[in-house]
Amino acid sequence: MSAKEFSYNGPGHAAAQLRHLTIRQLRSLAALSAKGSVTAASGHLGLTQPAVTQQLRQLQDLAGLPLVQRTGDGMLLTEAGREVLALAERVEAAIMDCQGALDLLAGRTGGTVHLGAVSTAKYFVPHAIAAFSKRHPKIEIKLTIGNREEIREAMHGYDLDFAVMGRPPADVSVDVRQLGRNPHIIVARKGHWLEKDSGLSLTDLVHETFLTREPGSGTRTLMEGMFQKSDLEPIIGMEMSSNETIKQAVIAGLGIAFISAHTVAHELAEGRLIVLDVAGLPIVRQWYVIRRSDKVLLPPAQAMFDFLGSEGSNYLPDVPEFGGR
């Protein structure tokens, strides 16, 4: 399908005509964006290539602007095409929400909640889910775990009802409920040579090897910001995508780690890890429950959103007192 096969009627046409678009046209554009060609899009949709071409041509005519362009990498959306694609995503989300509401009203289901959480939150979110599920056993909870960047990207769409994370994304309009404190500390293995030292500074740690999360992690970003404020640069030994791996590596003596106290509560209680007494620590951030402002929550999701906002702090791990350091 060549670019000349698409016709459009110029600016101003869309305001009057776009209201006549169909869901099949939007799905054709979404499939073309995802698959990169009309052939692949038609296979994905179970339609013939001429049918998909016709849907795209009609949609572009209604929009009044070119929606796709042919490149060496396949058919790509123009800026106008991406705008219409965003509409398609909102429409699909609204359809799913409506289906869920109808199922709920018909008594066919207790509803489904799509919850996202940054990986550090996995140490308490399952406990909160368990408590909520005891009260609402018919509600299904689907949990997605990722690092901060992954959850932030997920919040750009409408698949998640809400997410548990630290600092809210700045590029998405969101509603926020504060959940509780999230202290960050530096831990080392039991018997580390700095274990009994007090009042350490970051300068005392510049020769230590830090084991850290991957770029994109909120913990990694917070650590880098802490050192940058002191014009220092930590020695990074290994980057790991798992807090569990970091903990085991610290216990094995491979280095020290800047980490959320909630991820090491058990190891601290058991004495396998110790907290280094570093001036300025802990750095205390907040946990939040976050949803898109334009995301309409069905009753099951709204119930869990309210539950986490009012009672979620009860499920945060117990951590030692840090004496105000």
Side-chain angles (χ1 to χ4, degrees), residues 85-132:
L85 179 62
L87 170 63
E89 292 172 346
R90 292 196 295 272
V91 169
E92 293 287 4
I95 291 173
M96 292 299 295
D97 286 346
C98 182
Q99 182 63 63
L102 293 176
D103 288 344
L104 189 63
L105 291 171
R108 292 190 292 265
T109 177
T112 301
V113 178
H114 296 267
L115 169 63
V118 295
S119 53
T120 303
K122 69 183 179 183
Y123 294 92
F124 65 88
V125 166
H127 299 286
I129 291 175
F132 179 81

Side-chain angles (χ1 to χ4, degrees), residues 115-122 125 143-148 151 160 162-165 287:
L115 169 63
V118 295
S119 53
T120 303
K122 69 183 179 183
V125 166
L143 176 62
T144 298
I145 298 290
N147 66 26
R148 171 182 163 76
I151 296 301
L160 295 180
F162 49 86
V164 176
M165 62 192 305
W287 287 116

Side-chain angles (χ1 to χ4, degrees), residues 15 62 83 88 101 113 125 141 179 194 249 285 287:
L62 291 172
E83 189 67 27
V113 178
V125 166
I141 310 296
L179 195 152
L194 293 174
R285 291 294 184 263
W287 287 116

Side-chain angles (χ1 to χ4, degrees), residues 172-318:
V172 180
S173 178
V174 295
D175 291 336
V176 175
R177 299 281 183 88
Q178 188 168 306
L179 195 152
R181 300 169 75 251
N182 181 18
H184 287 72
I185 56 179
I186 294 178
V187 297
R189 65 177 177 83
K190 182 68 176 177
H192 189 277
W193 70 285
L194 293 174
E195 177 178 1
K196 296 183 179 180
D197 287 11
S198 60
L200 295 168
S201 69
L202 291 182
T203 303
D204 296 320
L205 304 179
V206 293
H207 300 297
E208 296 293 317
T209 298
F210 278 80
L211 311 176
T212 185
R213 291 287 304 275
E214 75 285 1
S217 159
T219 303
R220 173 71 174 267
T221 301
L222 186 58
M223 184 193 77
E224 290 174 343
M226 176 183 69
F227 275 95
Q228 287 172 1
K229 287 181 180 179
S230 298
D231 293 324
L232 298 172
E233 185 172 344
I235 298 174
I236 304 299
M238 285 188 286
E239 295 179 351
M240 306 174 191
S241 60
S242 163
N243 288 318
E244 289 299 315
T245 306
I246 289 177
K247 290 192 294 186
Q248 294 304 318
V250 174
I251 291 171
L254 294 178
I256 63 178
F258 176 83
I259 200 166
S260 167
H262 290 150
T263 69
V264 292
H266 292 301
E267 290 76 12
L268 293 175
E270 294 169 356
R272 292 189 291 160
L273 289 175
I274 56 97
V275 180
L276 295 183
D277 183 4
V278 180
L281 296 182
I283 295 177
V284 179
R285 291 294 184 263
Q286 296 292 325
W287 287 116
Y288 298 100
V289 190
I290 299 168
R291 73 175 181 92
R292 286 189 62 127
S293 299
D294 59 353
K295 172 70 174 178
V296 177
L297 297 184
L298 295 178
Q302 186 65 57
M304 188 169 188
F305 186 76
D306 293 339
F307 170 81
L308 289 175
S310 61
E311 302 183 41
S313 60
N314 297 334
Y315 305 97
L316 294 174
D318 292 330

